[in-house]
Amino acid sequence: MSPLPSAGPLGIPYLAEFWSRTLARRSGAAPQKASARDWVDDNTLLAGLGLNLRETYAYLYDRTPTLEAFEAWILAINGGSIDPARIARLKAALAADVSGEAALPAPEPAAPPALSDADLAFWDENGYVVLRDAVPPENAQAAAQAIYDFLAIDPLNPATWYGNAHGHTIWVPLLHHPALWANRNSPRIHRAFAQIWRRSDLWVNVDQGGFNPPERPGWSFPGPHLHWDVSLVQPIPFGVQGILYLTDTAADQGAFTCVPGFHRIIGDWLNALPVGADPRAQDLRSLRAVPIAGRAGDLIIWHHALPHGASPNRSAHPRVVQYLKLRPSQWDVQSDWR
Ligand SMILES: O=C(O)CCC(=O)C(=O)O
């Protein structure tokens, strides 16, 4: 058997390791669950390469490519090339090379902070914040249009809203449209996440869109209902998530919903549960979740310890969104899932 390549043409040793480990997992030769450290590094790798996790696993599992073919696929998704400075930054981040992190472009000195002191105080108190006008209206409109086109929807014709070929879901697996990338690259969004993380060496993840049409006979809200995406093993490490409204969104229009302030009391709440109780099986609806309204172009960032979800759309208009979040190269995760 030939030895594993230490790196492919892109020159990122961790990419070769990820490729080899994922194919070994597919064939049953490696554990099904990544270690906590690998999970973080895998997320950084894929964010750095402009890839979505699910699309990458699907590609590797379906095609079982050589490392060279995998890298060719990555380049094709990136329009044929990736900025060498980005590759250098990614290699340094994955090697935990501090000098590489220091080589980051300095934050724009003249740029005003995206979140005010009042916003940050609101964040501390409530565990979420709305960044108004995170992107200009035309960016929001362009991304909404990309989602309409992808779903073959006419936003003015309700008869076209319910045929999502991807099933009874609000998720829209559109990933690489330029309009979505324009929002991911928004400096104002990057500045807001940097303020929340208190650091600027962040990577934006490649997440999908969302389309939550009004409920009607034959189409009820499929969720997500209130939930957490993080392990509830304590202490819950810091982490955030985000949603960008692409159309004006009223509170009854399927808005993002969360339990404000829960990040401050979740430890006590978990400790008060009977021994062995499953926190996710509790009646989360009793926790006083509130829907968060916003305008097209507003971004909601929330602390991942808040129970959160979308909500049934009881208005006459669909809710159209793009999910995105930024994270540093390394963040803490609990290795066990609760
Ligand atoms: O779409 C929403 O409003 C909620 C999204 C959500 O629950 C999630 O991203 O985990």
Side-chain angles (χ1 to χ4, degrees):
M1 202 173 122
S2 53
L4 289 177
S6 60
L10 283 171
I12 305 174
Y14 190 79
L15 177 58
E17 187 186 323
F18 170 79
W19 163 80
S20 147
R21 174 163 35 83
T22 306
L23 292 187
R25 181 182 305 151
R26 179 187 183 278
S27 68
Q32 290 306 305
K33 190 173 172 297
S35 71
R37 196 43 49 214
D38 285 348
W39 169 247
V40 171
D41 286 344
D42 291 358
N43 273 274
T44 298
L45 173 75
L46 298 187
L49 294 172
L51 302 172
N52 170 270
L53 234 69
R54 202 168 303 131
E55 74 171 334
T56 307
Y57 287 126
Y59 172 77
L60 288 172
Y61 272 60
D62 287 355
R63 303 284 183 86
T64 61
T66 61
L67 180 57
E68 286 69 23
F70 182 35
E71 294 201 0
W73 176 79
I74 293 170
L75 285 175
I77 285 189
N78 281 273
S81 65
I82 302 178
D83 180 0
R86 187 176 176 89
I87 298 283
R89 184 191 159 204
L90 183 58
K91 279 174 71 172
L94 290 166
D97 177 339
V98 181
S99 63
E101 289 290 26
L104 278 177
E108 303 157 61
L115 297 169
S116 66
D117 289 348
D119 289 331
L120 293 171
F122 185 94
W123 163 265
D124 287 341
E125 175 74 11
N126 294 287
Y128 80 91
V129 67
V130 183
L131 176 67
R132 300 285 174 204
D133 305 318
V135 300
E138 57 274 20
N139 284 36
Q141 166 58 28
Q145 188 61 51
I147 290 175
Y148 302 144
D149 293 345
F150 183 75
L151 295 176
I153 274 173
D154 173 354
L156 301 178
N157 181 359
T160 65
W161 295 348
Y162 299 92
N164 189 341
H166 309 281
H168 184 206
T169 174
I170 70 166
W171 311 119
V172 178
L174 175 65
L175 300 171
H176 294 291
H177 193 285
L180 301 187
W181 270 108
N183 294 335
R184 288 182 197 121
N185 289 333
S186 151
R188 188 165 154 74
I189 290 181
H190 283 242
R191 284 204 300 276
F193 275 97
Q195 286 180 275
I196 297 281
W197 277 102
R198 297 169 192 255
R199 56 193 293 174
S200 58
D201 58 329
L202 306 179
W203 300 95
V204 66
N205 77 335
V206 177
D207 208 338
Q208 58 191 338
F211 183 82
N212 185 7
E215 289 199 302
R216 70 168 193 184
W219 206 90
S220 57
F221 171 61
H225 300 278
L226 291 177
H227 68 284
W228 294 270
D229 297 297
V230 63
S231 171
L232 299 179
V233 172
Q234 297 190 68
I236 299 173
F238 182 76
V240 301
Q241 296 172 254
I243 186 171
L244 179 66
Y245 284 156
L246 301 178
T247 51
D248 291 350
T249 302
D252 67 350
Q253 197 180 332
F256 170 79
T257 298
C258 64
V259 182
F262 207 75
H263 63 307
R264 291 185 285 104
I265 61 162
I266 189 166
D268 292 342
W269 183 80
L270 287 166
N271 292 340
L273 294 177
V275 175
D278 176 357
R280 295 170 198 273
Q282 306 305 305
D283 179 14
L284 302 182
R285 285 167 309 175
S286 67
L287 295 178
R288 299 210 201 151
V290 296
I292 315 296
R295 294 187 302 260
D298 288 350
L299 173 80
I300 304 170
I301 304 175
W302 71 94
H303 189 302
H304 64 179
L306 300 190
H308 66 273
S311 54
N313 186 342
R314 308 232 153 90
S315 78
H317 306 286
R319 187 201 71 162
V320 191
V321 302
Q322 176 178 352
Y323 301 95
L324 60 86
K325 67 182 165 212
L326 280 86
R327 290 184 288 211
S329 307
Q330 295 294 323
W331 72 91
D332 292 330
V333 280
Q334 290 287 5
S335 44
D336 293 327
W337 186 259
R338 180 186 184 200

